[in-house]
Amino acid sequence: MAITWFFGADETSKNTTSTTVTAAMKALQDADNALANPTAGPAAAALATWFGGGIATKSDRIEKLRSNIRTMRACLNSWNVSITSGGADPNTNAACFQPVFITKLGRQEQSWVIIQAVAAKGGSQKVDLPGGDSLMPQDARFAITVYNNFLNMPLDGAHLAVSAHQQDRIETLIHEMSHAIAGTKDQVLANHTAAYGRANAIALVAEDPAKAFDNAENWGLFCASLRQ
């Protein structure tokens, strides 16, 4: 496991996050295995639920899913990914950051940006990373900050009644990783509601399957649903 660095996290938080990483790796492996036969079995049902009924026969979409799922798993297994503790934020479960290099006074300095800010604004936007930029490992591929909401979620879908938005830690972690690896976005419904949680993700499929395929929440829910 390549998760080697935490900032501001107590042992309980570290253990909770490490357990989530292990479970997410299993979900990603199971999803990849299921996609070997996308038109039958659990993969067909999950594809229809989270991306729409026509996707199973679209080889380019299936290949994009499998390729990025494998990369996400390899990332957790062997890349240097930093997970930091963001503390209490009632509106945020987790956020994904990527490193950028900014030239100051003739030399390059590493900074970090929220990936969604880059996607939305078409360029990098400096943000404050919990712990400060200088404490981040210089070789980290990306960083995920987890907040108290994340730590208080159920691990998987078995106890979703206690999760306000029907979200869990496995799908949330994969959601954030898909921003970094697959370039997914946080899409919104026609009524401008963010497509977070199971109900809104399913509504997005009915409304616009192409947007659902580009929505991080749908990727996370798809992979989590195939964990055996």
Side-chain angles (χ1 to χ4, degrees):
M1 188 184 300
I3 306 301
T4 57
W5 186 89
F6 295 82
F7 175 81
D10 57 25
E11 288 304 310
T12 299
S13 298
K14 291 180 182 180
N15 291 338
T16 297
T17 306
S18 294
T19 298
T20 307
V21 169
T22 300
M25 289 177 63
K26 178 69 165 58
L28 291 164
Q29 182 64 66
D30 290 344
D32 184 31
N33 291 344
L35 284 169
N37 188 5
T39 59
L47 286 166
T49 298
W50 302 115
F51 300 119
I55 189 175
T57 58
K58 295 179 179 179
S59 59
D60 59 329
R61 294 294 180 93
I62 299 302
E63 179 53 35
K64 180 175 181 178
L65 274 170
R66 294 195 80 182
S67 175
N68 284 290
I69 284 169
R70 289 170 179 171
T71 301
M72 284 190 278
R73 189 176 188 281
C75 165
L76 289 178
N77 188 50
S78 60
W79 294 8
N80 189 352
V81 180
S82 294
I83 294 186
T84 69
S85 175
D89 183 334
N91 299 313
T92 306
N93 299 331
C96 192
F97 296 76
Q98 67 180 10
V100 296
F101 290 90
I102 300 173
T103 301
K104 291 183 178 180
L105 301 177
R107 66 186 183 90
Q108 282 195 329
E109 293 184 1
Q110 180 170 294
S111 185
W112 292 80
V113 297
I114 294 180
I115 289 176
Q116 276 299 289
V118 176
K121 296 179 179 297
S124 62
Q125 178 188 24
K126 180 68 176 69
V127 295
D128 294 325
L129 184 70
D133 293 341
S134 63
L135 297 179
M136 293 297 296
Q138 294 300 298
D139 61 343
R141 303 294 186 95
F142 60 89
I144 294 173
T145 296
V146 296
Y147 294 83
N148 290 352
N149 285 352
F150 174 90
L151 299 172
N152 293 328
M153 285 179 176
L155 174 66
D156 55 30
H159 302 94
L160 284 177
V162 301
S163 186
H165 299 290
Q166 292 191 307
Q167 295 169 302
D168 58 70
R169 297 202 309 273
I170 293 174
E171 73 87 4
T172 298
L173 180 59
I174 296 173
H175 168 133
E176 296 302 334
M177 290 184 64
S178 76
H179 285 317
I181 303 300
T184 59
K185 301 177 177 65
D186 289 330
Q187 297 284 1
V188 296
L189 295 165
N191 65 4
H192 305 295
T193 300
Y196 291 140
R198 281 160 169 70
N200 286 337
I202 290 171
L204 185 64
V205 174
E207 191 175 284
D208 190 334
K211 286 178 71 174
F213 189 75
D214 193 41
N215 189 42
E217 189 78 341
N218 290 66
W219 278 63
L221 289 163
F222 169 77
C223 293
S225 72
L226 289 169
R227 177 171 173 256
Q228 299 296 310

